[in-house]
Amino acid sequence: MAQSVPPGDIATQPGTKIVFNAPYDDKHTYHIKVTNSSARRIGWAFKTTNMKRLGVDPGSGVLDPKEAALIAVSCDAFAYGQEDTNNDRVTIEWTNTPDGAAKQFRREWFQGDGMVRRNQVIDMAQSVPPGDIATQPGTKIVFNAPYDDKHTYHIKVTNSSARRIGWAFKTTNMKRLGVDPGSGVLDPKEAALIAVSCDAFAYGQEDTNNDRVTIEWTNTPDGAAKQFRREWFQGDGMVRRKNLPIEYNP
């Protein structure tokens, strides 16, 4: 599901941070406005770093070009000064919707190949869209029976772009599938060999339909050391994804 056109800009009001005022012995709600400033329909979704304290309603939706939505961000009562609030933030992610898609939010828009942008109320902007990567194999990973022992399959990831990227893998089944190394940094045209493993399991008795590994990548900030940092994927900027479905050959 490729969205080859980078998502355009959005505008949030307020633009840089959300302020909750004391006292904090009761629930607070703050409304923010999100406007799709781009020329394409987008799907958007919010995340919070503290689901116990922070809430967002609605948490996701679809906006046509120039359309806006009013979002309620809430903060439940808590013991101010006794709890860590340094990492509290809400992050909005958005991506172009596929051509012809209905105006109904679909989580899979954020899971397929394509580009996702993020905006949190802190700055770490990478305004240049990440370029392409190449994987070998290119479309899927195949494990061959029998499955009564661990299998390991090596894939090659090459940074085909002109900028340094940070990359990270995810799996849909952490119990069965593993990736080593799970993250790293690649200079332009550099490649890495990645071991994807599948632990022993009862083939035919367990659901494998959704098994896949996903690589996400983003440009590293200018001047950053060649050492992977998780926050590159949490700040403002663009993240691209590529899915590699797992096929089990009986």
Side-chain angles (χ1 to χ4, degrees):
M1 183 194 294
Q3 296 123 325
S4 58
V5 178
D9 292 333
I10 65 167
T12 61
Q13 293 176 286
T16 58
K17 64 181 178 180
I18 297 171
V19 177
F20 289 108
N21 295 304
Y24 300 106
D25 51 4
D26 203 355
K27 183 175 182 177
H28 291 55
T29 299
Y30 193 109
H31 288 85
I32 65 175
K33 185 179 181 181
V34 177
T35 303
N36 177 10
S37 306
S38 76
R40 293 175 64 97
R41 177 180 285 175
I42 62 168
W44 56 268
F46 274 94
K47 294 181 178 180
T48 78
T49 54
N50 191 321
M51 295 179 67
K52 180 180 178 182
R53 183 159 52 231
L54 301 172
V56 182
D57 183 34
S60 59
V62 179
L63 287 174
D64 284 323
K66 315 310 176 188
E67 187 181 7
L70 201 61
I71 314 296
V73 180
S74 60
C75 174
D76 285 344
F78 71 102
Y80 180 77
Q82 301 175 40
E83 299 182 31
D84 182 12
T85 61
N86 290 328
N87 196 41
D88 282 12
R89 64 175 179 267
V90 294
T91 301
I92 184 172
E93 299 184 334
W94 70 99
T95 190
N96 295 329
T97 62
D99 292 337
K103 193 177 179 181
Q104 183 174 0
F105 180 81
R106 301 293 295 272
R107 175 60 57 184
E108 54 260 39
W109 295 339
F110 293 80
Q111 298 167 339
D113 300 347
M115 298 188 196
V116 176
R117 290 186 65 179
R118 292 186 173 95
N119 187 353
Q120 66 185 33
V121 213
I122 297 190
D123 65 341
M124 186 195 291
Q126 297 123 325
S127 58
V128 179
D132 292 333
I133 65 167
T135 63
Q136 294 175 288
T139 57
K140 64 181 178 181
I141 297 171
V142 179
F143 290 110
N144 295 302
Y147 298 106
D148 50 6
D149 204 354
K150 183 175 182 176
H151 291 55
T152 300
Y153 192 110
H154 288 87
I155 65 175
K156 185 179 181 181
V157 177
T158 303
N159 176 11
S160 306
S161 77
R163 294 176 63 97
R164 177 181 286 174
I165 62 169
W167 55 269
F169 273 94
K170 295 180 178 179
T171 78
T172 54
N173 191 320
M174 295 179 66
K175 180 180 176 182
R176 181 161 52 232
L177 300 171
V179 182
D180 184 36
S183 59
V185 178
L186 287 174
D187 283 324
K189 316 309 175 188
E190 187 181 7
L193 202 61
I194 313 297
V196 179
S197 60
C198 172
D199 285 342
F201 71 103
Y203 180 78
Q205 301 177 39
E206 299 183 28
D207 183 13
T208 61
N209 290 328
N210 195 42
D211 283 12
R212 66 175 181 267
V213 296
T214 301
I215 184 171
E216 299 184 332
W217 70 100
T218 190
N219 295 329
T220 63
D222 292 338
K226 193 177 179 180
Q227 182 175 0
F228 179 82
R229 302 293 296 271
R230 176 59 59 184
E231 54 259 41
W232 296 338
F233 292 81
Q234 298 167 341
D236 298 351
M238 299 188 197
V239 177
R240 292 186 64 179
R241 293 186 176 96
K242 180 176 182 178
N243 288 324
L244 292 171
I246 306 294
E247 182 178 310
Y248 297 97
N249 178 27

